[in-house]
């Protein structure tokens, strides 16, 4: 599965972003622009197995299972997470290329030279 914005993420400080690239990258950033979703990605990415069961993720939040599932669906639809259904549970893993695409947006030799 090819996620939005993964093929062409030139740094924001390099060449000006075209309309088509902005349309591809915006859903990725929009999906990450929520505190619950950021925490979900962090929890999944930092898990020992590199994946997490939705049943384990529910324990980290004071939210309903349906709300957590909604946030996971948004992240999956944006191409940030892969999912694998095993019996009644769904396991999620972060797509490394998605995080790399976001990191690339904010990387440039100008930023590196400034100590950022």
């Amino acid at each position: 599965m090819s996620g939005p914005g993964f093929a062409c993420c030139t740094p924001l400080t390099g060449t000006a972003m075209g309309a088509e690239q902005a349309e591809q990258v915006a859903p990725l950033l929009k999906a990450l622009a929520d505190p619950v979703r950021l925490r979900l990605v962090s929890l999944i990415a930092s898990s020992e197995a590199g994946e997490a069961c939705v049943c384990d993720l529910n324990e980290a939040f004071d939210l309903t299972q349906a709300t957590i599932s909604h946030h996971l669906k948004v992240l999956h639809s944006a191409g940030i997470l892969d999912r694998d259904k095993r019996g009644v549970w769904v396991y999620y893993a972060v797509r490394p290329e998605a995080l790399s695409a976001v990191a690339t947006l904010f990387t440039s030799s100008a930023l590196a030279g400034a100590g950022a």
Side-chain angles (χ1 to χ4, degrees):
M1 176 178 145
S2 174
F6 299 155
C8 58
C9 287
T10 51
L12 292 173
T13 58
T15 317
M17 182 181 287
E20 185 176 327
Q21 183 181 0
E23 288 291 328
Q24 291 175 343
V25 173
L28 181 67
L29 294 176
K30 185 176 180 180
L32 290 170
D34 179 277
V36 171
R37 292 195 284 265
L38 279 174
R39 284 191 59 213
L40 284 167
V41 170
S42 177
L43 286 166
I44 295 166
S46 65
S47 65
E48 277 189 43
E51 64 180 9
C53 174
V54 68
C55 59
D56 296 327
L57 295 169
N58 287 333
E59 297 172 6
F61 298 91
D62 188 24
L63 299 169
T64 66
Q65 188 272 327
T67 299
I68 297 299
S69 291
H70 165 75
H71 286 295
L72 290 166
K73 180 182 176 185
V74 169
L75 291 165
H76 178 261
S77 295
I80 298 166
L81 298 179
D82 281 329
R83 65 180 174 200
D84 181 33
K85 186 167 179 158
R86 300 178 199 160
V88 297
W89 297 113
V90 179
Y91 288 79
Y92 290 88
V94 175
R95 297 185 70 215
E97 61 272 26
L99 295 183
S100 180
V102 172
T104 300
L105 283 171
F106 301 102
T107 304
S108 76
S109 56
L111 288 175

